[in-house]
Amino acid sequence: MTLKSRVKVCLGTACLSAGARKVKETLEKELGGEVGVDFSGCHGFCSQGPLVVVDDYFYTNVDEKTAIKIAREHIINGKPLQKYFYKEPLSGRPIEKHEDIPFYKKQTRILLEYCGKINPESIEDYEEIGGYQGLRNALKKTPEEVIELIKASGLRGRGGAGFPTGKKWELTRKAKGNKKFVIINADEGDPGAFMDGALLEANPHSVLEGLIIGGYAIGAENGIIYIRAEYPLAVKRFRKAIEDAREKGYLGKNILRSGFNFDVTIYEGAGAFVCGEETAMIKSIEGERGQPVPKPPFPATSGLWGYPTNINNVKTWAFVSWILKNGVEKFRKYGTERSPGTALFSLTGKVKNTGLVEVPMGTTLREIIFDIGGGIERDKKFKAVQTGGPSGGCIPEILLDTPVEYETMAEVGSIMGSGGMVVIDEDTCIVDFAKFFLSFTQKESCGKCTPCREGTYQMLKILEKITHGEATMQDLENLEELAHVVQDTSLCGLGKTAPNPVLSTLKYFRDEYIEHIVDKKCRAHVCPGLFKLYIDQEACKKCGLCQDACNFDAIPGNKEEGFVILTDRCVGCKACILACPVDVIHYMD
């Protein structure tokens, strides 16, 4: 019997954390070498892993037992197992091919097109899909022609600022200096974001090729990737990509006999969020403390060690190789006039389908969250979505039809950022949510400038007072005033955008802040002391598990007479709710 099935197991970070390596080993053991079991990077559908693809059949949530059945019944006997396909949520209908699943069907995958389809550690796989053709095309043009092509594409930096990439390259190209650098900003540190890491894990050559093209256009012979050390798999795969590209003649001296010399080194960052800011990143590479410096001069004229330096995000570099391979017109077919192309988002939070999403610029928030994301978990009510990472704003339900692009996000009080998108539902306290993200940026402040260092700290203290029911309306006024001061006077983008979660929630959800202050009430029942619990005596089974779970002696009683919650002692930890087997502990209105 000749077995020709092509089997791929996703070995992206999300699938690995769910046991994908064991799945791959199980398949290899069952098939005994008769069928090769390959691996891929992240498919993007993180909530459904581990993922296994047999020919065009797409299996989700595969464990070791399922892997044995897939090997024996499908791969060996040719009988696909519908039971383990993705199921349509409403009808339960199995969907055998990934492109027919709504999560994928409603995306436009350019950068993610081959993520999950190729082996990220195989340069031959990348070449087979047209890899390094963009570099070949670039080397047939002058550097100036390549820059003009990128300018014509309208590509804007995908790191968050949205600055025109071609213009940035042109400034660096024209800057005086006998040495120039190009850098990949892979210091992705937003909570809940993993777009850059996943792309580097799944298709590292696409990013590397873009960097080489940029080096040629700008006149740089040295490239650097600044990547978080917390991304060991991305580091490993990008390092192999560099080695293989060097061996194939895409890196090193006289690349493809063009006379162009270029090579790349890896610099692993220590995980400081502020080092995502380009001047702080440069200081970190130079061996100094990662702190931003005032601009001008801009890195394009005086960057790494004083030389002209161009820094772009991971996704921006990957788009460069795509544009050089496929052409400007094809790129501009997607997106909007002022923001061409597609955008990548890490869709997380209280949404049914979490994962990586790629859509044309201008796609509405509603389409992303409900058509692709599948709506809110447990069919709860949508409350808000935060875009742009910890420095992004919270956008309410009335603005769900806002098209996502740089200007429109700014107009509603948020930012595009690098692509984080966190969805929250009715059970989320908006004040606590704003406090969480401000706490993150406050801790990540480098401390160099007073507005960010002291201002975010004072803002956080006020938010803590509000969530503990200890604030006054004057505190609310002080909070808003402080937020504007920090926004207007901070040195770098971290400080300037840190108040966004507070300012946007004050704009759209001020009533919740006032409830906390005036009514001493948290409608989402999150802030301890701002809600009360009671036991439904008629439904209570008098098992005593609630009393056992309470560490604050707030539930007196016995199994004969029953139990009550003393509201003056209850701290709102909710341990009793979790312990109750019959759900008879409720919130007081």
Side-chain angles (χ1 to χ4, degrees):
M1 181 191 299
T2 303
L3 302 175
K4 298 180 180 179
S5 294
R6 184 165 173 80
V7 184
K8 265 190 167 40
V9 180
C10 172
L11 293 188
T13 293
C15 283
L16 282 169
S17 67
R21 195 173 299 283
K22 284 286 187 183
V23 168
K24 183 173 183 289
E25 291 170 357
T26 301
L27 286 168
E28 288 171 333
K29 182 179 178 181
E30 286 294 316
L31 297 170
E34 292 185 79
V35 179
V37 179
D38 205 352
F39 70 91
S40 72
C42 179
H43 289 253
F45 207 2
C46 304
S47 61
Q48 296 295 316
L51 303 171
V52 174
V53 179
V54 180
D55 297 325
D56 289 331
Y57 294 93
F58 191 74
Y59 290 101
T60 62
N61 296 302
V62 179
D63 57 18
E64 293 172 63
K65 291 181 180 178
T66 307
I68 293 171
K69 294 176 183 177
I70 291 171
R72 294 177 181 177
E73 297 182 39
H74 184 173
I75 301 172
I76 295 175
N77 293 321
K79 297 177 180 178
L81 300 170
Q82 289 193 350
K83 181 180 178 181
Y84 303 108
F85 296 159
Y86 174 80
K87 305 293 191 309
E88 200 172 53
L90 293 177
S91 67
R93 178 178 67 90
I95 302 176
E96 65 183 41
K97 297 185 178 180
H98 86 277
E99 59 264 29
D100 294 326
I101 297 172
F103 178 80
Y104 292 109
K105 195 173 185 178
K106 296 183 179 181
Q107 294 188 45
T108 300
R109 292 165 74 87
I110 289 179
L111 294 191
L112 300 180
E113 181 179 5
Y114 295 106
C115 294
K117 295 181 181 178
I118 62 171
N119 183 328
E121 296 185 18
S122 168
I123 193 170
E124 289 77 19
D125 270 17
Y126 184 65
E127 289 174 319
E128 194 176 315
I129 61 169
Y132 290 104
Q133 185 57 51
L135 174 61
R136 294 178 188 277
N137 293 341
L139 294 176
K140 293 174 185 176
K141 304 176 186 296
T142 66
E144 291 78 11
E145 286 172 336
V146 174
I147 289 175
E148 286 303 314
L149 191 148
I150 295 299
K151 286 170 67 177
S153 74
L155 176 63
R156 300 174 66 173
R158 293 307 197 258
F163 191 82
T165 303
K167 184 177 180 181
K168 196 173 186 180
W169 285 19
E170 187 174 55
L171 290 169
T172 317
R173 171 82 188 173
K174 290 180 178 179
K176 294 179 180 178
N178 58 7
K179 184 183 288 188
K180 295 179 181 180
F181 293 93
V182 286
I183 299 175
I184 300 171
N185 182 348
D187 191 52
E188 184 177 49
D190 298 5
F194 195 63
M195 301 77 61
D196 295 349
L199 190 55
L200 287 166
E201 288 179 9
N203 195 356
H205 285 283
S206 66
V207 183
L208 177 59
E209 182 182 4
L211 183 70
I212 301 168
I213 293 167
Y216 172 71
I218 289 165
E221 293 189 356
N222 299 281
I224 296 170
I225 179 170
Y226 186 97
I227 185 169
R228 299 179 76 82
E230 295 97 327
Y231 280 2
L233 185 59
V235 171
K236 171 180 176 283
R237 289 179 180 170
F238 198 80
R239 180 171 283 118
K240 186 169 193 314
I242 290 173
E243 293 168 357
D244 291 347
R246 196 179 287 133
E247 191 174 315
K248 286 266 191 172
Y250 300 122
L251 279 176
K253 300 288 185 182
N254 193 24
I255 293 172
L256 298 178
R257 300 181 182 178
S258 65
F260 170 52
N261 305 322
F262 186 80
D263 219 325
V264 181
T265 55
I266 296 175
Y267 188 98
E268 295 184 50
F273 182 67
V274 74
C275 285
E277 195 277 335
E278 57 184 9
T279 61
M281 178 180 294
I282 286 169
K283 287 298 177 186
S284 179
I285 295 173
E286 291 174 343
E288 298 184 32
R289 184 175 179 180
Q291 290 185 320
V293 298
K295 295 184 282 191
F298 292 92
T301 54
S302 179
L304 189 61
W305 292 298
Y307 294 108
T309 302
N310 183 91
I311 302 176
N312 284 123
N313 172 266
V314 168
K315 299 181 287 294
T316 311
W317 289 116
F319 271 121
V320 167
S321 55
W322 194 96
I323 291 166
L324 264 293
K325 182 177 78 169
N326 296 283
V328 168
E329 281 131 22
K330 192 167 182 182
F331 180 74
R332 292 197 73 103
K333 277 172 58 181
Y334 305 106
T336 65
E337 180 62 30
R338 57 185 179 180
S339 297
T342 60
L344 264 68
F345 296 100
S346 178
L347 187 61
T348 60
K350 301 298 182 68
V351 66
K352 290 177 182 176
N353 298 328
T354 58
L356 299 182
V357 172
E358 184 174 5
V359 293
M361 283 281 196
T363 302
T364 67
L365 291 166
R366 188 183 301 278
E367 290 174 281
I368 296 170
I369 296 166
F370 288 89
D371 293 348
I372 297 172
I376 311 305
E377 275 186 344
R378 296 177 293 146
D379 295 319
K380 290 277 187 175
K381 192 177 185 305
F382 171 86
K383 186 167 194 173
V385 58
Q386 189 206 34
T387 67
S391 301
C394 293
I395 303 170
E397 186 176 18
I398 57 170
L399 295 174
L400 270 175
D401 292 312
T402 301
V404 178
E405 56 178 328
Y406 298 97
E407 287 76 14
T408 54
M409 289 295 98
E411 287 165 10
V412 298
S414 191
I415 57 175
M416 276 282 292
S418 60
M421 192 173 282
V422 182
V423 178
I424 59 176
D425 65 12
E426 59 189 309
D427 291 339
T428 303
C429 170
I430 206 72
V431 187
D432 185 66
F433 189 70
K435 185 177 76 171
F436 170 80
F437 283 106
L438 186 68
S439 172
F440 176 85
T441 49
Q442 193 274 323
K443 287 176 184 175
E444 292 292 340
S445 170
C446 73
K448 183 172 185 176
C449 73
T450 303
C452 180
R453 182 185 67 246
E454 298 298 330
T456 55
Y457 176 76
Q458 295 301 327
M459 287 173 64
L460 186 58
K461 287 299 178 187
I462 295 173
L463 284 173
E464 286 173 350
K465 285 179 70 177
I466 295 173
T467 55
H468 285 90
E470 300 166 355
T472 66
M473 290 301 292
Q474 183 61 52
D475 287 316
L476 194 62
E477 288 182 30
N478 293 344
L479 175 66
E480 194 161 16
E481 184 179 356
L482 259 173
H484 285 296
V485 171
V486 173
Q487 186 179 60
D488 295 339
T489 60
S490 291
L491 174 62
C492 81
L494 187 151
K496 289 182 183 299
T497 58
N500 279 343
V502 173
L503 287 171
S504 61
T505 52
L506 278 171
K507 181 178 180 180
Y508 299 118
F509 300 95
R510 184 178 290 268
D511 57 332
E512 281 199 46
Y513 281 86
I514 294 172
E515 268 185 7
H516 280 67
I517 296 168
V518 176
D519 301 331
K520 309 299 181 188
K521 176 183 175 182
C522 174
R523 69 174 68 172
H525 309 120
V526 170
C527 301
L530 299 188
F531 63 87
K532 297 178 179 179
L533 298 171
Y534 73 94
I535 298 172
D536 182 344
Q537 296 297 327
E538 291 184 8
C540 180
K541 301 299 182 184
K542 301 178 182 179
C543 64
L545 292 176
C546 58
Q547 187 182 66
D548 294 340
C550 181
N551 291 318
F552 301 93
D553 296 325
I555 308 180
N558 54 62
K559 293 183 180 181
E560 288 74 36
E561 297 177 4
F563 302 88
V564 294
I565 297 175
L566 301 179
T567 56
D568 59 332
R569 287 190 186 180
C570 176
V571 298
C573 69
K574 302 183 184 179
C576 56
I577 294 177
L578 295 174
C580 180
V582 286
D583 297 325
V584 298
I585 301 176
H586 306 298
Y587 300 104
M588 290 184 187
D589 292 332

